[in-house]
Amino acid sequence: IFTTVEVEDVFLDSVSIRAIEFLDQNTLAFAGSEGMYGTVDVATGKIRSNSIKYDSIVPSFRAVAHTNSDFFMLSVGSPALLYKTGDNGQMELVYTEVGETVFYDSMMFWNNLEGLAVGDTVDECLSIIITRDGGATWRKIPCNELPEGTEGEGAFAASNTNIEVMGNQAWIATTTGSIYHTMDTGTTWNSIGTPMENEVATQG
C-alpha cells in the first residue's frame, strides 16, 4: 500500500507535451508543441530533446508510438505529419495528408509490423491509416471499407487513450459515443453505439 507520493520534475520547458511513451524500462520518449520531441533517461535524468519543422510549418504532436526498432510521432491538423526513426538517426517523414478537416488523434501498434493511427471524419467516415511494414508506409482505409460515419465525428487527441489493441483486435472510442472494432488488425471493421452522452463536441 502506498502512503505517500513524491513528484519529481524531469523536464521543464514552455512547450505543451501531450504524448509520452516508454520505449523500454528506463527511456521515456515524448513529443509536443513547437515541433519538440525527445527522450528522458529516468534512471539518470539525462534529457535529449530536439525540434522539427516541415517547410515553414512547426508541427504540434499529440500521439506517439513505438515498435522494437522505431519511434513514431504524429501531428494534429493539416497537413498531418507522421514521422518515424530514420536510418541516419534523424526523424523521417513517412506519411502526410492534407485537407480542411484532417486531424489525427492517436496511434498504436499491434506488433512490430502492424499499426494504426486514427483521426477525425474526412469524406463522411472516420480517418484510419494502417501500416503492415513496420511503419515505413501507411495506407488510408477508404470509406467503403469502414462503417458509415457521423458528420463531425472525431476521436479525441487524448494521448492514445481513445484506442486500445489486444491480440489482433482494436477498439476506437469516438466523440459520438460509438465504438469501432476490428478483429483482424484493421482489415474489417464494425461499430456499435453506446449510451455515452455526446450532446456537445467535448463529450463522448
Side-chain angles (χ1 to χ4, degrees):
I1 298 174
F2 292 99
T3 57
T4 61
V5 175
E6 294 183 6
V7 178
E8 178 184 354
D9 293 327
V10 295
F11 182 69
L12 296 175
D13 200 283
S14 60
V15 301
S16 173
I17 297 174
R18 301 288 192 95
I20 59 175
E21 179 101 349
F22 271 99
L23 304 183
D24 55 40
Q25 187 174 355
N26 290 316
T27 307
L28 179 67
F30 63 86
S33 63
E34 300 180 22
M36 177 72 73
Y37 66 97
T39 59
V40 178
D41 186 317
V42 296
T44 65
K46 185 175 182 178
I47 299 164
R48 296 184 179 186
S49 64
N50 206 340
S51 61
I52 199 165
K53 289 179 67 175
Y54 176 75
D55 293 332
S56 61
I57 297 169
V58 179
S60 181
F61 299 106
R62 303 274 186 91
V64 296
H66 78 284
T67 62
N68 282 352
S69 58
D70 289 299
F71 172 63
F72 299 82
M73 52 192 192
L74 177 60
S75 72
V76 293
S78 178
L81 304 171
L82 175 53
Y83 290 88
K84 72 177 284 291
T85 310
D87 294 336
N88 60 359
Q90 301 295 316
M91 297 303 291
E92 174 187 353
L93 185 63
V94 292
Y95 180 82
T96 62
E97 185 177 339
V98 177
E100 184 178 352
T101 59
V102 168
F103 196 103
Y104 278 87
D105 305 289
S106 58
M107 176 172 47
M108 197 167 285
F109 278 78
W110 283 284
N111 51 58
N112 287 321
L113 291 177
E114 298 173 296
L116 76 163
V118 181
D120 293 354
T121 292
V122 173
D123 296 332
E124 302 181 354
C125 72
L126 205 64
S127 297
I128 302 177
I129 59 175
I130 301 278
T131 182
R132 307 284 186 196
D133 58 7
T137 61
W138 297 75
R139 169 187 177 262
K140 186 168 186 179
I141 301 178
C143 287
N144 62 8
E145 297 178 19
L146 289 171
E148 183 177 354
T150 302
E151 183 178 355
E153 185 174 22
F156 289 127
S159 299
N160 291 346
T161 55
N162 59 1
I163 183 172
E164 187 56 76
V165 301
M166 182 181 296
N168 291 331
Q169 300 188 72
W171 296 264
I172 301 164
T174 78
T175 56
T176 65
S178 294
I179 304 293
Y180 285 65
H181 178 231
T182 177
M183 298 185 67
D184 50 17
T185 58
T187 302
T188 60
W189 292 85
N190 62 71
S191 68
I192 61 170
T194 75
M196 296 290 288
E197 292 186 13
N198 61 307
E199 295 178 356
V200 297
T202 54
Q203 293 178 336

